[in-house]
Amino acid sequence: MPEMEVETTTTTEIADEKQKKSNNDAIYDPAFLPDMLPVYYRRLFPHKPFYRWLSYGLSEEGIFANREISFTLHDDIYIRYLCFETQIEFERELCNRCPFKIDIGAVMNTRPKNNRVSAAAMAPVQRELVFDIDMTDYDDVRTCCSDKSVCQKCWKFMAIAANILDAAIKEDFGWEHILWVFSGRRGIHCWICDYEARHLDTQGRSAVAEYLQIISHAMGSNGSNVSRVYIGDRMHHSVKRAFQIIEPMFEEVILIDQNLFSSPKGIEKLCQFIPDEMARKETEQFLLNNLEDGAPALKVWEAFKRYAHTMRCNATQSVWSRRLKNIIEEIQLACMYPRLDINVTKGFNHLLKAPFCIHPATGKVCVPFNASAAAKFNPTMVPNIAQLLQEINTFDEKKKNEEETDEKSRIKDYKKTSMFKGVVVFEEFLRKLETGLKAKAVKLNEMRMDF
């Protein structure tokens, strides 16, 4: 819808300006988090949209009341098996306890709080299909940052992963209600909320996870863990679609931003992707002999491609024409295909951090984002809680001396802050989800009437 796009763009520009101004003077100190959380939960946390999401229009019995929620409180006090009957009860408990972290579990067949009485009988009946991708799993292919750090260069790995998964989920499985959330530090979470996805059993979840996991791991000749992909005789259509996203970005991300294959150490890293030991040694020797020390990754990659092509053409019965015939594409996929924590996806009752949590270490909000705009998302510009509270105070101070407005025209607190963009994305996701739920309800009623 064109009007919506114009409005979103304007909102983005305003929010970005707020963030640029606030990031310079709002320093987050974890020691003050216990003092800031009560204000955040009371004034900024989107209680109503959050309830709308997890209640799914109360389309199924116990869908909200039987949902397991866990709180991690100050000093790592962990409370599981919480559940709430209504939005008001959830909001009250949230504001009273002010958790450092909220995790969302499955919808059970009974109230989770009854687990001590009927633990053996309690079982999950539905849960969103989730994916968890962590930047540290890309440490072997990123040079700009490592461990817990993240920047705009390595964020491109996350943006590409979101685009690949989003396309696969929609085109290969037909699911459309997908919520993407920044984890607050260095990763992303994907929540698939379609009815069919929520009702998959453990076997079904495992099948989806395995279908989307094409990377395998092997021990390299230097003792390091190496990510590899094997295409086989023909590239599967899902892998081909992923490759069409990866291939145009490979030079920018791997060869320029990360300069991954530069220097003798980089050449060794490139050759570790080759599964055949003899071919690996010969390739490494060729590149070391024919390239000057410190050659940029772009030059190393071009030399490798020429060498691989020559070997395929000159030795039709060699390993290069059989096992290694797709080695160039396999290396590109191994570097940039989504690196999934498939145990999170397989686990029916795995708890995952909720959207709009505050990450205790960074103070950043776990904000939703659009997969289609993931490349424009800047994790370093995500607001922290200190910044948000400062923005509220600045806004309120500005309006203090102006004529008071009536209750109906009063601005919601989150709209006063740079958190606004994330809430807008969440609201748009909810609008489409609720429209889908209503359409499903109408269809069911028509089928009953026909019967």
Side-chain angles (χ1 to χ4, degrees), residues 226 228 250 254-255 260-275 280 283-284 287 291 297 299-305 327-328 331-332 335:
V226 181
R228 287 180 182 153
F250 184 79
I254 298 297
L255 306 180
L260 188 63
F261 307 135
S262 177
S263 77
K265 192 174 180 181
I267 289 173
E268 181 188 15
K269 182 180 284 289
L270 169 60
C271 293
Q272 289 300 315
F273 289 108
I274 302 171
R280 180 168 59 247
T283 304
E284 185 173 351
L287 294 174
L291 291 165
K299 195 169 183 180
V300 174
W301 179 249
E302 290 302 323
F304 169 72
K305 287 199 297 182
I327 190 63
I328 291 169
I331 291 173
Q332 291 175 303
C335 287

Side-chain angles (χ1 to χ4, degrees), residues 168 171-173 211 234-244:
E171 295 177 28
D172 295 348
F173 297 97
Y211 173 82
R234 293 181 61 189
M235 193 182 285
H236 187 274
H237 70 85
S238 180
V239 178
K240 186 180 290 186
R241 181 181 54 237
F243 183 73
Q244 288 168 350

Side-chain angles (χ1 to χ4, degrees), residues 52-69:
R52 282 168 54 200
W53 172 38
L54 293 185
S55 64
Y56 290 94
L58 298 178
S59 54
E60 299 167 70
E61 187 178 349
I63 195 167
F64 184 76
N66 287 2
R67 169 81 70 168
E68 182 190 355
I69 305 281

Side-chain angles (χ1 to χ4, degrees), residues 315-330:
T316 55
Q317 297 305 311
S318 75
V319 67
W320 285 96
S321 62
R322 299 192 304 274
R323 174 62 183 85
L324 301 181
K325 66 178 181 178
N326 297 312
I327 190 63
I328 291 169
E329 293 83 357
E330 289 171 354

Side-chain angles (χ1 to χ4, degrees), residues 84-146:
F84 308 97
E85 298 289 333
T86 63
Q87 176 198 327
I88 293 171
E89 185 185 344
F90 170 70
E91 185 174 341
R92 184 172 60 242
E93 195 71 4
L94 202 59
C95 293
N96 286 341
R97 291 183 181 262
C98 297
F100 275 43
K101 184 185 174 193
I102 308 164
D103 284 300
I104 301 173
V107 178
M108 302 295 186
N109 58 347
T110 184
R111 300 289 192 270
K113 64 184 177 184
N114 299 333
N115 75 93
R116 291 181 182 175
V117 179
S118 57
M122 190 168 72
V125 294
Q126 66 165 290
R127 193 250 194 288
E128 295 78 11
L129 184 65
V130 294
F131 290 94
D132 181 9
I133 306 175
D134 196 300
M135 188 72 81
T136 54
D137 291 328
Y138 291 82
D139 277 356
D140 63 316
V141 291
R142 62 174 183 151
T143 59
C144 56
C145 303
S146 63

Side-chain angles (χ1 to χ4, degrees), residues 159-169 180 212 238 241-243 245-246 333 336-338:
I160 289 165
N163 285 328
I164 289 171
L165 277 183
D166 202 68
I169 290 162
W180 288 96
L212 292 168
S238 180
R241 181 181 54 237
F243 183 73
I245 295 171
I246 287 169
L333 287 163
M336 298 176 67
Y337 189 85

